[in-house]
Structures are given as C-alpha cells and as structure tokens.
Amino acid sequence: RGKLRWDAGEAWTLLFTGHHSEQETPRNAVRTHFVSRFGPDGLGYPADDPEATDVFGWRNPEGSGVFDTWINAEGRESVDLSLGGLKADWTGDRLSFRSITSWMRGKRNYTEDADQGPVDVASSSNPGFEFPNNSTTSITQELHLSGGKRLRWIVGAFYLTIDQSGLTTFAWGEDFGDFTEFERQNNQADSLAGFGQIEYDLSQKWRLVAGLRYTDEARSSTGESWTELSDGTIVPVNTRDQDRTMDKPLSGKVALEFLPSTNKIAYASFNQSTKSGGFNSIDLPPANQEFDDERLSALELGYKQEWSSGTRLNAAIFYYDYSGYQLRNFDQELLETFIDNNDAEIFGGEAELF
C-alpha cells in the first residue's frame, strides 16, 4: 500500500492512495462443545458415556481439552483485495471544494467442512478457482462545496455503483442423499444522492444545525439455483430477475446546540434516515426473497466537556424508532439465513470519561 501527496499550486492538494493484498488461510472445523443428550425434562445434559457421539460424529475428548479439529475435506479461504483512491482539495478565499474518488475490487473464495464433524453430512464452498466470477467491484464519487463564516454551509453530491457476483455450493454426503445444491447470483446497485447542511450561529452560545439528503437508488438481482444429483443429472430449482428502488428517499437532521464555553456543549438532535432494502437467497419462499427499506427516527439529548488536562466527558440519552428494522433470521427447514422487516424501538443512555 502507498500514498502520494502532490501540492499542485497554492490552492490545490492531491492525495493518491493504493492498496493490494492477497491472503490464503485454512478453514478447518474446530469443535468447542461436549456431546449432550436430552433428559426426561426435555433439556440437554452432558452425555455420561465417554464413547457417545452426536449426530455429527463428535465424541467427548480425552483429558481437559475441548478444542478438537476433524475434517473430511481440507478447507481453504483466499481473499484478494485491491483499493485505489484520489482526494482533491481546493481552497479559495471564501469557498472550499473537495472531490473524493474511490475504487474497490475484492475476490473471496472459500471451502469448508460445514457439518464440523467426522460424519460426512455436508460441506459448503464458494469455488472461485473453478468459477472466477465470485467478486465485488465498487466505484464511488463524492463532491463537496463549502463556505461561510457565521452561516457555514456545505452542499454536495454522492454516487455509488456496486456489482457483486458469486456462486455458492452445498454438497450433501453419501448418507444424506449424495447431491449438491448450487446458487448463482449477480447483484447490482446504483445510488445517486444530493445533500446540504447549514450551521448558523444564533448567538455566541447558541447554534442551529440542519441538513437534508435526497437519494435515488436502484437495485437489481438476477440468478438461478439448481441441484446436481450423484449421477450428474441437473434439476433446475429457481430463477430470479428482480428490481427495486428506495421507497423513502428523503433523510434529514436538525439540532440545537448550546455552548456555554469553548470546552462545553449541550445539544438536542432529531434525525431521520433510510437504509435501503435488498434481496435474500433465491431458494427462499417468494415472500422472503426480498426485504424492504429500514426507516430510523432518532432523538438524542447530550452533553460534552473537555478539561485542560485532556480528560473528556461524553454523555447522552437517546430514543430510536425503527420502521421496517432489517432483522436477520434463520429458516430451520431450508437451512437458509435471511433478512426480514420488523418494527423496533430502542431507548437508553450512555456516558464515557476518558
């Protein structure tokens, strides 16, 4: 990785950054539990028989150790990551301009013994060496223009594009059907946003902060899933070609700040923001293949202070109201993780002295 700064004249400063890394690591199952059995009350208890095994073939280890490794196939993980960026700053007498450009390409391939036991139940993999399209590429561009003294302002625009593709397999052992499940997906997202914020000194001790952001975002997902039997027969399962857009594109913030001195600030703020929805696995029921936007309304009251010794105090109480909170769930019949939407409320307080 490296950085290069170029002072291109009195007003312009350019900062170039670059990074590339490659990582190869084993992915082997590690057992961290004792074999258990159900008791008469329906609860689980450690098995008394030292030869007892669980459904995955695990047996209680000898001695005091509880960490064992047992694999039917060697696991691996390979991660390649490349990053590049350019930050350009221009400073004038009354205005400042900033441009931030970034690019990222990542590739991750893995194979693991998913059942984590001696019995050959299943393994999962993302075989990028055989299918070299398991990757994510993103490009972002952000522009800022700012100025002002008593009324400080900033306006800008943000653009993001992401292209993600990959293949996942899940292979069942001979005693569990001897077949392999495949799922291939390609997900794309394009987001364009405009934003602005002002800070206005109402007086020497009071300050008003207000901001607004509008986001136009579109996502698409295409893919297919199929099953390959032990004799090579291919059985199609599902296909997908879906698009979605952000339902609530407007976000905003308003805050009132009180500054009794240069080292103290008390504030009250209200924020509303949206986290866009997306897509789950192709193999889930149609009702669970897609999840909606998450909308957060947040109210916060806080106080900050810094002493001459450098000690700082941060304290706040807050209330979060989520509409469509994106909650991760697990389908026990299909053995699939998915996200769905729920309403939620969080309230509390925090304080730190450091």
Side-chain angles (χ1 to χ4, degrees):
R1 59 184 177 181
K3 293 183 179 181
L4 175 63
R5 174 172 169 166
W6 178 28
D7 294 327
E10 297 182 358
W12 283 95
T13 300
L14 304 178
L15 179 63
F16 300 87
T17 60
H19 170 96
H20 179 76
S21 63
E22 298 180 9
Q23 180 178 340
E24 292 272 358
T25 55
R27 284 183 63 100
N28 296 328
V30 177
R31 175 189 180 259
T32 59
H33 65 278
F34 283 95
V35 176
S36 61
R37 290 289 183 268
F38 286 111
D41 55 4
L43 300 178
Y45 295 93
D48 296 330
D49 183 1
E51 300 298 320
T53 60
D54 61 14
V55 67
F56 300 116
W58 281 117
R59 185 168 57 192
N60 286 333
E62 298 179 359
S64 59
V66 295
F67 296 96
D68 287 344
T69 297
W70 191 303
I71 57 173
N72 301 314
E74 183 72 25
R76 73 180 188 275
E77 180 176 28
S78 171
V79 178
D80 293 352
L81 180 64
S82 299
L83 304 169
L86 169 62
K87 183 173 72 171
D89 287 302
W90 176 84
T91 303
D93 295 334
R94 296 184 178 182
L95 299 175
S96 296
F97 172 79
R98 169 170 289 182
S99 170
I100 304 174
T101 306
S102 66
W103 167 85
M104 184 277 289
R105 182 177 65 188
K107 180 179 178 181
R108 178 173 180 262
N109 311 301
Y110 74 88
T111 301
E112 67 176 19
D113 183 2
D115 53 58
Q116 302 185 9
V119 175
D120 188 15
V121 180
S123 63
S124 64
S125 63
N126 190 343
F129 296 115
E130 295 81 14
F131 300 88
N133 64 339
N134 295 278
S135 63
T136 300
T137 302
S138 69
I139 299 174
T140 64
Q141 175 64 57
E142 190 166 353
L143 302 174
H144 297 172
L145 183 65
S146 60
K149 293 184 178 180
R150 181 177 180 180
L151 174 62
R152 295 169 297 280
W153 55 269
I154 180 172
V155 294
F158 176 81
Y159 173 73
L160 164 69
T161 180
I162 299 177
D163 190 315
Q164 182 183 42
S165 60
L167 174 75
T168 300
T169 72
F170 199 86
W172 294 90
E174 292 184 2
D175 295 335
F176 294 85
D178 194 16
F179 62 93
T180 304
E181 298 173 307
F182 294 83
E183 181 178 319
R184 188 196 304 275
Q185 288 197 61
N186 179 262
N187 298 314
Q188 291 182 308
D190 291 284
S191 179
L192 180 63
F195 58 88
Q197 180 170 301
I198 62 168
E199 295 183 2
Y200 181 62
D201 296 328
L202 300 171
S203 66
Q204 290 185 344
K205 296 184 177 181
W206 290 93
R207 181 166 61 201
L208 176 67
V209 181
L212 201 63
R213 181 186 183 101
Y214 182 87
T215 303
D216 183 9
E217 181 172 300
R219 292 177 177 263
S220 64
S221 178
T222 59
E224 57 185 337
S225 64
W226 67 95
T227 298
E228 182 176 344
L229 306 181
S230 58
D231 61 1
T233 302
I234 303 298
V235 181
V237 178
N238 286 311
T239 60
R240 176 161 69 196
D241 187 356
Q242 292 178 291
D243 299 283
R244 62 169 294 114
T245 57
M246 184 177 287
D247 296 328
K248 299 178 180 179
L250 199 62
S251 300
K253 170 185 178 179
V254 61
L256 184 62
E257 301 175 347
F258 176 61
L259 301 89
S261 62
T262 57
N263 66 328
K264 300 176 183 178
I265 180 173
Y267 63 91
S269 66
F270 177 75
N271 298 268
Q272 274 197 333
S273 58
T274 301
K275 180 181 178 181
S276 61
F279 304 95
N280 290 310
S281 170
I282 297 175
D283 290 331
L284 287 166
N288 293 331
Q289 285 196 19
E290 189 173 349
F291 56 93
D292 295 329
D293 297 344
E294 174 184 293
R295 185 72 167 175
L296 169 63
S297 300
L299 178 64
E300 183 172 333
L301 303 175
Y303 177 78
K304 300 181 180 181
Q305 181 173 347
E306 181 176 358
W307 286 270
S308 58
S309 62
T311 303
R312 295 183 180 182
L313 170 66
N314 295 332
I317 57 175
F318 55 85
Y319 170 72
Y320 296 162
D321 183 11
Y322 289 93
S323 176
Y325 179 76
Q326 294 173 3
L327 180 67
R328 187 174 296 274
N329 284 317
F330 183 74
D331 190 311
Q332 297 185 6
E333 294 183 359
L334 298 176
L335 301 180
E336 292 277 4
T337 300
F338 67 97
I339 296 174
D340 65 359
N341 297 96
N342 298 267
D343 292 337
E345 292 181 318
I346 301 175
F347 56 89
E350 59 183 3
E352 57 179 350
L353 184 66
F354 61 98

